[in-house]
Amino acid sequence: MAGFLDRAKEQAQQALSQGKEKVEDVQAQRAGNDLLKKLGAAYYAEQRGSGSPQDVQQALAALEQHIAQHGDGFLRS
């Protein structure tokens, strides 16, 4: 009986770990999408004359940092 409970506990912990990883992936994708949106808004504002090149560079740097940490998978979805 103890072996069965140990296996059940191990399976539950694996499922919990997988769930946490999935949540982290979704959060990273959302953050990447938000950064991409900010880059687009900064570029649009610059083109319209109400933004600055520095804003575009800051948004681009933030996006590149996110990609370095989490990858660029959110760009494909």
Side-chain angles (χ1 to χ4, degrees), residues 30-60:
R30 286 183 181 165
N33 287 334
D34 288 344
L35 290 169
L36 193 58
K37 183 177 177 182
K38 288 178 183 179
L39 174 60
Y43 178 77
Y44 179 77
E46 179 189 16
Q47 294 299 307
R48 300 281 296 167
S50 61
S52 70
Q54 292 82 12
D55 292 339
V56 174
Q57 288 302 315
Q58 287 175 348
L60 182 59

